[in-house]
């Protein structure tokens, strides 16, 4: 609405970013969301950050709906609020891999364990929309090749009015797994991507 600026900022000497609001009229700053970030992430979060070439820690992005609803995905949880007050955890959503806020701010679509869910931002329980996740099959996420080579990191898209979703349904079971070794640290890890 032109009254404030939202931005990510890390304290001097830190790479862990927090979300701030700067009121343009008064010049005051307000902390909206922060992470007690120790630099450890789930494997899914590490891979997402790698695909997006994300080098910082803490909050890496946020979404703002037309009505001022604010969404932050952090540590596998959804944090929701408005653009004028600190966010709080939205119950009923755990193990979140990716999420998208509807343009009207009323719902959040999120992926957990390869299936797509939708939860109301007013705290109603989540609804599971897909039920077919399995090894090599997932919904609402960009597949490896789309994220790594095509720079498409989304797998869920809301309609302009927030009443419908387009969802990527990926079945990679017939694609051979390609091993990617990581030779960092004491142990060698091998990722398999299709």
């Amino acid at each position: 609405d032109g009254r404030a600026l939202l931005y990510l900022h890390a304290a001097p000497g830190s790479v862990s970013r927090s979300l701030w609001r700067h009121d343009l009229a008064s010049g005051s700053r307000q902390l909206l969301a922060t992470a007690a970030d120790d630099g450890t992430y789930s494997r899914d979060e590490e891979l997402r950050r790698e695909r997006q070439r994300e080098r910082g820690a803490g909050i890496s992005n946020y979404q703002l709906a037309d009505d001022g609803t604010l969404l932050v995905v952090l540590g596998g949880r959804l944090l929701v609020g408005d653009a004028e007050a600190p966010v709080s955890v939205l119950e009923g959503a755990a193990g979140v891999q990716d999420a998208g806020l509807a343009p009207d701010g009323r719902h959040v679509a999120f992926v957990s364990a390869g299936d797509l869910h939708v939860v109301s931002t007013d705290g109603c329980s989540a609804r599971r929309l897909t039920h077919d996740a399995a090894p090599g099959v997932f919904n609402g996420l960009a597949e490896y090749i789309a994220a790594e080579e095509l720079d498409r990191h989304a797998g869920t898209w809301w309609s302009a009015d927030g009443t419908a979703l387009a969802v990527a349904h990926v079945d990679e079971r017939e694609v051979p797994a390609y091993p990617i070794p990581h030779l960092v640290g004491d142990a060698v890890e091998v990722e398999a991507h299709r």
Side-chain angles (χ1 to χ4, degrees):
D1 61 9
R3 295 184 301 128
L5 173 70
L6 300 182
Y7 61 97
L8 296 173
H9 176 70
S14 174
V15 295
S16 185
R17 291 171 298 205
S18 298
L19 178 60
W20 290 83
R21 179 182 189 274
H22 179 88
D23 186 281
L24 296 175
S26 70
S28 64
R29 292 181 354 148
Q30 179 183 17
L31 180 63
L32 298 179
T34 192
D37 201 323
D38 61 3
T40 58
Y41 302 102
S42 70
R43 190 64 180 143
D44 288 331
E45 178 68 7
E46 285 178 1
L47 291 173
R48 185 196 66 77
R49 286 175 178 259
E50 181 181 312
R51 302 288 169 265
Q52 295 181 351
R53 309 301 188 254
E54 181 63 47
R55 301 291 180 239
I59 297 171
S60 60
N61 59 59
Y62 61 92
Q63 298 171 40
L64 187 63
D66 296 339
D67 71 346
T69 300
L70 181 64
L71 172 69
V72 175
V73 180
L74 188 62
R77 297 172 302 147
L78 300 174
L79 299 129
V80 177
D82 62 46
E84 297 187 18
V87 295
S88 58
V89 174
L90 183 62
E91 299 300 329
V96 175
Q97 291 175 267
D98 196 9
L101 181 61
D104 62 6
R106 295 180 57 211
H107 296 92
V108 178
F110 68 93
V111 178
S112 180
D115 276 317
L116 184 69
H117 301 74
V118 172
V119 64
S120 170
T121 54
D122 65 9
C124 293
S125 61
R127 278 187 312 153
R128 185 173 169 184
L129 301 181
T130 62
H131 294 67
D132 59 351
V137 178
F138 52 90
N139 301 281
L141 297 172
E143 66 276 17
Y144 173 84
I145 198 73
E148 187 64 29
E149 302 298 337
L150 303 176
D151 201 30
R152 178 178 63 81
H153 303 283
T156 305
W157 303 269
W158 281 100
S159 63
D161 63 0
T163 61
L165 283 167
V167 179
H169 170 78
V170 180
D171 185 341
E172 304 176 317
R173 291 176 290 191
E174 299 300 318
V175 180
Y178 181 82
I180 301 175
H182 292 275
L183 306 174
V184 179
D186 296 333
V188 175
E189 286 186 38
V190 178
E191 284 177 45
H193 291 284
R194 297 177 189 274

